[in-house]
Amino acid sequence: MANKTTAEKLATLRKGYTLEGATIELGAAIVDGELHKDAPVRLPLSMMNRHGLVAGATGTGKTVTLHMMAEQLSTAGVPVFLADIKGDLSGLATAAVGSEKLTARTEGIGQPWQGKTFPVEFLALGGDGNGVPVRATVSSFGPILLSRIMELNDTQESNLQLVFYFADKNGLELIDLKDLRAVIQFLTSAEGKDQLEELGGLSKATAGVILRELVSLEAQGLERFFGEPEFDTAELLRTAPDGRGVITCLELPTLQTKPMLFSTFLMWLLADLFEDLPEAGDLDKPKLVFFLDEAHLLFNDASKAFLEAITTTVRLIRSKGVGIFFVTQTPKDVPAEVLGQLANRVQHALRAFTPEDAKALKATVSTFPLSDYDLEETLTSAGIGEAVITVMNEKGAPTPVALTRLRAPESVMGPSDEALVRSTVAASALLAKYGTAVDNPSAFEKLSGKAAAPTGPAADGREGVPGAADIDAEARRIEEEILGRPSSRPAASGDGTRRTRAEEPREPRPEARDSMMGDLGDALGGGLKSMARSIGTQLGRELLRGVFGTSSRRRRR
C-alpha cells in the first residue's frame, strides 16, 4: 500500500468509480496532495436507498454537501426531504451567480457549472415559520414518539400506552393535546375511577405526572403542531411538471428551543412512509431521499423501544425505495445497529483537540475499508469542501476510499430572499390543503358530554359543552403552577364557546387492529410495554403500527 505510485493509486480510483448506471457526481479525487479532475468520484443513483452518513466537524461543509446532492437528485427526478435548520437551504430556490473563485474551483474538478433554480416546497412545523403548516394528530404520533417529546421514563411510557389503548378501545379520537389531556383527566376523576382500575398497570399518580408533562407541552406552544388537517407524507414524493423531483425544505427557526420535537417529528415522517409505501424491490433510482440532519438529537437519551423502532424502520424502508442519509458530527453519534446499515459515507474533516476527539477519530478510521490514504492524517487535514468518501457500487461492494474535492452547488449557498420564500409558499398547492387548522369533534367533546357539530375553521374561542370549562380551568391551574406565572391559555368565554374544526371524513380503523385490541384484555395487568417490544411477532408488528399510527387512516398513492 505504501509503495504504490501516484499513477497506481489513480488507476485504482478510476476503476472503482467507473459505473454504468445513473450517478450523483460528488467531485474529483485528491491523490498525494494533487487534485485530479480525470478521477471523478460518484455515487450510483440505484444505491442511494442503501442509506448513508454525512459527517464532519462544524464548519467543514456538511450543509453544502447536502445542498449539492439535493440539486442532482432533483435533476434526476428524485424527490428530496431536507431539514433546513440554519435557513441556508432555502437558497435552492435562487440561482447562484458565478465568480472568479467559483470558476477556478469548478474548472479544477471538471464541473460544468451553470446557475440554476430548483423546485422547492417550504414547510414549517405547526406554522412556526414561513412555510406551509405541518401538523400530526396525537393518535397518529403515538405513545412512543410522544413519550420521547415529553421525556417520560420507561414506566411512564408504558402507562401512556395504556391511555392510548383506552382511547382506541372506547372510540375516543386523539386529535390534539387537549383530547389526550381530557382522557387522562377523565381516568383520574371520580367518574373514571372504575375504568382506571380496569387498566391495571396505570396508576393515578403516574397518570398525574403524564398530565403535568402534557400541560407543560401546551404551555410551550407545542399544541400548534398537533391537530388537523394532518400532513400526508405522500406529499414528499412529488415531482415538478418538468419531471424534476420536488425538494421539500422543513423550516426549523426555533430548533434550539424544541430539539426533541424536531428529531421525533422526523422519525414520525419516516415511520409513516415506512408503513404506507409498498414494497418496491431494486429500483434504478429511489422514490425519495431523506436527509436527517442533527442526527445525534434523534438518539440522545432514547428509550429502548424508541431505538428498536428506529432500527427496524431504517433496516426495512430501503426495500420501499427510500434512502436515508444521517447528518451529524461523528459516526459515534449513530448507534452501531443503525451505523452498520449505512453503506455510503461522506466524511468531512474531524478535529482532534482533546483525548475524546482522538478516540472519535480512531473509531471513525476503523469504520473505513483499507485504503491508500493515512486516514488519521487525511481526516484532520482535509479542507473545507473536501471529504473522504466510500460508497456502495452497483454490485454491492464498497468503492475505494477517495479524498474528494466536492462539487459546488448551482443555486445560492445561503438563504433565499424572504419575499421569495413567502411568495413560493403563497403559490403552493399545499397551502389551501394544510394552511388552516380545523377542529372536528373528538375525545374532548365526547368526554365533556356533547359532541358538537363541526362548523368550520378553527377560531380562538371555545365551543360550549358541559364540563369543557372545568377541564380548561384545571389545565390553566397546572400551567401556572409549572411556569410560576399567569396562564396564557384563554378561558372559556361567557357564552361557553370554544373553537371548532371543519368536518373531515374519517376512515375506519383496520379490522386487524380492532381484533388485536380485543385480545389484549388478559394482558393489561402487566401493561403493554412488553408487547410493544415484541416486534418479531405479528402481534408486535401490529402494535408497532398502532403506536406510530401511520397506516390506520389512509393508503398512499
Side-chain angles (χ1 to χ4, degrees), residues 123-129 132-134 224-225 250-252 261-262 265:
L123 305 180
L125 282 185
D128 185 9
V132 174
V134 177
R224 290 196 302 168
F225 167 65
L250 177 67
E251 187 179 4
L252 299 161
L261 174 62
F262 151 69
F265 170 73

Side-chain angles (χ1 to χ4, degrees), residues 52-56 62 65-66 69 291 325-328 344 346 348:
L53 177 73
V54 179
K62 297 190 297 297
T65 297
L66 307 188
M69 293 174 71
F291 289 95
F325 277 69
F326 292 85
V327 186
T328 189
N344 304 301
V346 179
H348 288 265

Side-chain angles (χ1 to χ4, degrees), residues 157-487:
E157 178 184 304
S158 179
N159 277 261
L160 186 60
Q161 289 182 31
L162 289 171
V163 174
F164 272 71
Y165 164 73
F166 172 81
D168 288 339
K169 180 182 177 182
N170 290 277
L172 299 171
E173 298 87 353
L174 302 178
I175 303 301
D176 51 24
L177 293 181
K178 68 175 172 53
D179 289 322
L180 181 57
R181 170 164 51 84
V183 171
I184 297 174
Q185 287 178 322
F186 171 76
L187 288 171
T188 56
S189 69
E191 185 181 358
K193 180 180 178 181
D194 292 341
Q195 285 86 344
L196 181 69
E197 291 179 355
E198 288 179 8
L199 288 177
L202 178 61
S203 72
K204 184 173 182 177
T206 303
V209 171
I210 295 173
L211 180 61
R212 290 172 62 89
E213 293 296 331
L214 188 61
V215 175
S216 179
L217 288 185
E218 293 182 284
Q220 296 171 44
L222 297 191
E223 78 279 358
R224 290 196 302 168
F225 167 65
F226 292 101
E228 290 181 313
E230 181 175 85
F231 184 73
D232 186 341
T233 51
E235 312 288 5
L236 304 180
L237 306 175
R238 294 176 301 139
T239 54
D242 61 6
R244 290 184 297 170
V246 172
I247 301 172
T248 301
C249 286
L250 177 67
E251 187 179 4
L252 299 161
T254 58
L255 170 65
Q256 285 72 24
T257 61
K258 301 166 186 166
M260 201 69 77
L261 174 62
F262 151 69
S263 62
T264 310
F265 170 73
L266 297 187
M267 192 62 226
W268 175 76
L269 287 178
L270 281 175
D272 199 55
L273 286 165
F274 168 65
E275 294 301 344
D276 289 326
L277 285 175
E279 292 291 326
D282 292 329
L283 302 174
D284 292 335
K285 62 184 181 182
K287 294 181 179 180
L288 171 72
V289 175
F290 196 102
F291 289 95
L292 210 163
D293 207 352
E294 299 291 341
H296 66 280
L297 295 176
L298 190 63
F299 303 108
N300 288 348
D301 302 319
S303 70
K304 183 179 178 181
F306 187 73
L307 289 175
E308 285 176 347
I310 294 173
T311 304
T312 300
T313 302
V314 172
R315 184 173 67 249
L316 298 179
I317 201 170
R318 73 176 184 84
S319 67
K320 301 190 175 187
V322 176
I324 306 170
F325 277 69
F326 292 85
V327 186
T328 189
Q329 293 199 8
T330 76
K332 284 181 60 181
D333 295 333
V334 181
E337 296 83 355
V338 176
L339 189 63
Q341 300 176 48
L342 311 183
N344 304 301
R345 299 282 300 277
V346 179
Q347 178 66 61
H348 288 265
L350 291 173
R351 311 300 183 209
F353 299 146
T354 68
E356 187 65 26
D357 290 341
K359 290 180 181 178
L361 175 62
K362 288 183 180 295
T364 299
V365 169
S366 68
T367 63
F368 279 90
L370 293 176
S371 73
D372 295 323
Y373 295 91
D374 180 344
L375 286 181
E376 286 197 30
E377 179 182 350
T378 300
L379 286 174
T380 53
S381 61
I384 296 173
E386 297 176 353
V388 173
I389 292 174
T390 181
V391 301
M392 181 177 285
N393 67 20
E394 293 161 322
K395 296 181 180 179
T399 59
V401 176
L403 175 62
T404 306
R405 182 160 297 167
L406 299 168
R407 288 168 62 98
E410 296 179 314
S411 53
V412 168
M413 291 184 288
S416 286
D417 185 78
E418 186 170 340
L420 174 62
V421 174
R422 289 183 180 276
S423 65
T424 302
V425 173
S428 171
L430 299 185
L431 188 62
K433 187 174 182 180
Y434 300 108
T436 303
V438 294
D439 195 353
N440 288 312
S442 49
F444 180 90
E445 286 80 12
K446 291 183 178 181
L447 290 173
S448 299
K450 174 183 175 184
T455 59
D460 291 334
R462 295 270 175 161
E463 185 173 283
V465 292
D470 293 338
I471 293 177
D472 281 348
E474 177 66 8
R476 289 196 302 275
R477 184 193 66 76
I478 295 175
E479 180 180 330
E480 290 170 355
E481 182 179 335
I482 292 171
L483 299 180
R485 59 167 172 74
S487 171

Side-chain angles (χ1 to χ4, degrees), residues 24 54 61-75 80 82 84 87-96 113 116-118 120 247 249 291 293 327 348 407-416:
I24 296 296
V54 179
K62 297 190 297 297
T63 300
V64 177
T65 297
L66 307 188
H67 194 133
M68 172 266 291
M69 293 174 71
E71 289 182 345
Q72 293 189 65
L73 286 164
S74 175
T75 300
V80 179
L82 297 167
D84 193 5
D88 295 343
L89 295 171
S90 64
L92 285 156
T94 305
W113 188 92
K116 297 177 183 177
T117 62
F118 294 84
V120 183
I247 301 172
C249 286
F291 289 95
D293 207 352
V327 186
H348 288 265
R407 288 168 62 98
E410 296 179 314
S411 53
V412 168
M413 291 184 288
S416 286

Side-chain angles (χ1 to χ4, degrees), residues 6-17:
T6 299
E8 290 172 330
K9 296 175 184 177
L10 281 171
T12 298
L13 291 176
R14 291 189 185 111
K15 181 179 179 181
Y17 288 95

